[in-house]
Amino acid sequence: RAQSHIYLWLDLKRQIAGQQSLHWHSFGNLFSSLQQTMIADSGSSEDVLQHTGGGKALNLWRMSRFHFCRVPSWFCLTTAAFDAFVEENELVSLLTVSQDLHAKAEAVEEAFKSSRVPQSLEEEIVARLDQEHFTGRFVAVRSSGTDEDSAAHSFAGQFESYLFRRGRVEVMEAVRQCWASCFSERVMKHRQDCGMALSGVKMAVVIQVGESLCIGAMTWKFAGDQKNLQQLTCRVYNLGSRRELLN
């Protein structure tokens, strides 16, 4: 709710700066829409993805702006969805900072696995999966950390993502596991080593259609400084072909 209030204030500042008229009914509609932003996609505003969608979702949104780049269908459970899950299951006290990172990670994982995604949110997710681009297809359920893919921290390989998920049960289970991975021992240790906060951590989740591509490309950039940056791009086989075998 606090985040929604921040976005509301930012939108009000934009309207005032643009000398747009502001009426009470539009104020109410704006407030209501911001409260319900638990699911975002390529049609959402950049502000929503930037503040609540995490690194993967934000970059997917940006890529979708390039007409020459075909991005497989996706949508994102924002950090507002994470907040709703935590509040619904009374897990706030569990997410406090602890010196025993291993014990805390195990406790969070167990609690998240046994907790239920809020019914209204789950129904909305299932409704999205029933849409044309998703119907009957495998999806990838991908963690999208709010600190991920930033200029300072990549968090490469730290969070969990799950491929070849289909149907309500498999997708909901993967979503909960993605949320829990935000508090894994290795993630908390990485945050600790980087001097990052261990409290107030949240996770968004991307759900994206799995494509059956057999060959992909991977690019590495390496060097001691920006002036001597080297780039290596390799063609690699990936897991995309497995989807056809599972069908």
Side-chain angles (χ1 to χ4, degrees):
R1 293 177 182 174
Q3 288 179 326
S4 295
H5 294 161
I6 292 172
Y7 302 143
L8 177 61
W9 172 240
L10 291 174
D11 281 341
L12 290 176
K13 286 181 67 177
R14 291 191 189 95
Q15 291 191 46
I16 293 171
Q19 297 182 346
Q20 298 178 18
S21 60
L22 180 64
H23 302 288
W24 282 111
H25 72 273
S26 61
F27 178 93
N29 291 339
L30 178 59
F31 181 77
S32 177
S33 65
L34 288 171
Q35 279 190 314
Q36 297 171 7
T37 310
M38 293 190 188
I39 296 184
D41 54 29
S42 58
S44 302
S45 71
E46 185 175 13
D47 279 347
V48 170
L49 274 302
Q50 189 165 28
H51 292 93
T52 69
K56 285 191 182 73
L58 178 60
N59 285 323
L60 285 172
W61 184 93
R62 288 170 173 167
M63 289 174 65
S64 68
R65 294 295 172 280
F66 297 104
H67 298 295
F68 60 83
C69 183
R70 188 180 70 84
V71 179
S73 298
W74 63 278
F75 61 91
C76 170
L77 310 183
T78 68
T79 54
F82 173 87
D83 287 338
F85 171 77
V86 169
E87 184 177 348
E88 174 91 2
N89 294 283
E90 301 180 346
L91 299 173
V92 176
S93 60
L94 182 64
L95 305 184
T96 55
V97 177
S98 172
Q99 295 301 316
D100 190 340
L101 301 181
H102 178 72
K104 171 55 67 73
E106 286 191 336
V108 169
E109 183 177 9
E110 186 62 32
F112 276 42
K113 283 183 178 180
S114 60
S115 297
R116 179 73 185 269
V117 176
Q119 184 66 29
S120 59
L121 175 59
E122 183 172 333
E123 293 302 329
E124 189 170 352
I125 294 170
V126 172
R128 291 260 183 165
L129 294 174
D130 285 338
Q131 292 180 356
E132 180 181 357
H133 297 299
F134 290 89
T135 302
R137 303 185 67 178
F138 284 105
V139 297
V141 183
R142 312 172 63 195
S143 298
S144 184
T146 54
D147 298 309
E148 188 177 13
D149 295 336
S150 67
H153 305 283
S154 70
F155 278 88
Q158 296 291 321
F159 304 121
E160 298 293 338
S161 289
Y162 299 89
L163 304 179
F164 309 112
R165 293 304 190 265
R166 185 163 60 187
R168 179 193 293 254
V169 175
E170 290 187 3
V171 171
M172 290 302 109
E173 179 183 13
V175 166
R176 293 194 300 272
Q177 290 175 322
C178 285
W179 281 334
S181 73
C182 189
F183 303 93
S184 70
E185 183 178 5
R186 70 169 179 263
V187 169
M188 289 292 104
K189 184 64 168 64
H190 181 68
R191 297 184 71 88
Q192 195 174 61
D193 292 343
C194 293
M196 303 175 70
L198 301 184
S199 60
V201 180
K202 299 181 181 183
M203 174 67 76
V205 177
V206 168
I207 298 176
Q208 186 173 23
V209 168
E211 292 291 345
S212 57
L213 300 177
C214 296
I215 298 177
M218 296 183 67
T219 299
W220 292 268
K221 292 184 177 181
F222 52 93
D225 55 66
Q226 290 293 325
K227 291 183 179 179
N228 299 311
L229 192 64
Q230 304 274 342
Q231 180 171 305
L232 174 65
T233 301
C234 296
R235 185 177 69 173
V236 295
Y237 290 97
N238 60 32
L239 295 174
S241 58
R242 184 183 168 209
R243 188 180 72 88
E244 300 299 333
L245 297 176
L246 290 175
N247 276 334

